[in-house]
């Protein structure tokens, strides 16, 4: 995996992020389902990494999956995220990281049958994102 373009010490990240943001973005925690600020939003715009500001997803790729977290079928740019195997919790998943700062965003799932062009669901923690409304 390439080195992150933005590298901060844990202390620097802690001063930049609140405790909940730090837990998700830097320690791979997960926010509770149906509690995130972007789970049901329909606002047009760009979803950026809350840790570093890099563009990750666009509202045009967001869809209603009713899973409890914001869902996207594709990143804004194929190089915006890094995917890596995650064998934690006794199961095989694919973790999604910000390519710029390597912050944990969520997981991606395939073959679930959603009517999307990619048959993928990027299940992303709201707290890992910041919506920049179009306009």
């Amino acid at each position: 995996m390439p080195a992150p373009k933005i590298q901060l010490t844990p202390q620097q990240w802690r001063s930049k992020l609140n405790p909940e943001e730090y837990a998700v973005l830097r320690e791979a925690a997960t926010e509770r389902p149906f509690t995130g600020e972007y789970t049901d939003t329909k606002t047009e715009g760009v979803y950026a990494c809350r840790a570093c500001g890099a563009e990750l997803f666009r509202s045009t790729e967001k869809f209603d999956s009713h899973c409890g977290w914001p869902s996207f079928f594709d990143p804004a740019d194929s190089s915006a995220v890094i995917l890596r195997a995650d064998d934690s919790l006794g199961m095989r998943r694919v973790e999604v990281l910000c390519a710029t700062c390597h912050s944990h965003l969520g997981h991606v799932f395939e073959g679930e049958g959603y009517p999307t062009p990619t048959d993928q669901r990027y299940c992303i923690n709201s707290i890992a994102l910041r919506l920049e409304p179009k306009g």
Side-chain angles (χ1 to χ4, degrees):
M1 181 164 40
K5 295 173 189 145
I6 295 175
Q7 297 185 44
L8 300 177
T9 66
Q11 188 57 36
Q12 289 171 316
W13 282 120
R14 285 184 193 280
S15 68
K16 182 178 175 76
L17 304 169
N18 71 39
E20 293 83 15
E21 292 167 346
Y22 186 88
V24 170
L25 290 158
R26 305 309 306 169
E27 297 177 330
T30 301
E31 66 189 351
R32 290 187 340 264
F34 302 102
T35 63
E37 90 180 278
Y38 302 128
T39 302
D40 298 315
T41 188
K42 305 285 189 229
T43 304
E44 289 186 32
V46 169
Y47 289 87
C49 176
R50 192 172 297 246
C52 72
E55 180 178 335
L56 300 172
F57 299 96
R58 296 187 183 125
S59 59
T60 51
E61 282 74 43
K62 188 174 188 288
F63 70 100
D64 292 326
S65 68
H66 308 288
C67 71
W69 294 273
S71 296
F72 303 87
F73 61 81
D74 205 21
D77 178 341
S78 61
S79 62
V81 300
I82 296 171
L83 305 179
R84 75 173 172 193
D86 176 2
D87 295 322
S88 66
L89 304 177
M91 66 181 97
R92 168 66 60 145
R93 298 181 296 172
V94 177
E95 182 181 19
V96 181
L97 303 170
C98 172
T100 301
C101 68
H102 290 199
S103 287
H104 171 81
L105 305 172
H107 292 87
V108 63
F109 303 93
E110 290 190 69
E112 295 179 314
Y114 289 104
T116 63
T118 62
D119 199 25
Q120 294 180 316
R121 176 174 58 95
Y122 285 79
C123 183
I124 306 299
N125 291 285
S126 284
I127 202 166
L129 303 171
R130 179 164 284 117
L131 174 60
E132 299 167 359
K134 184 179 177 181

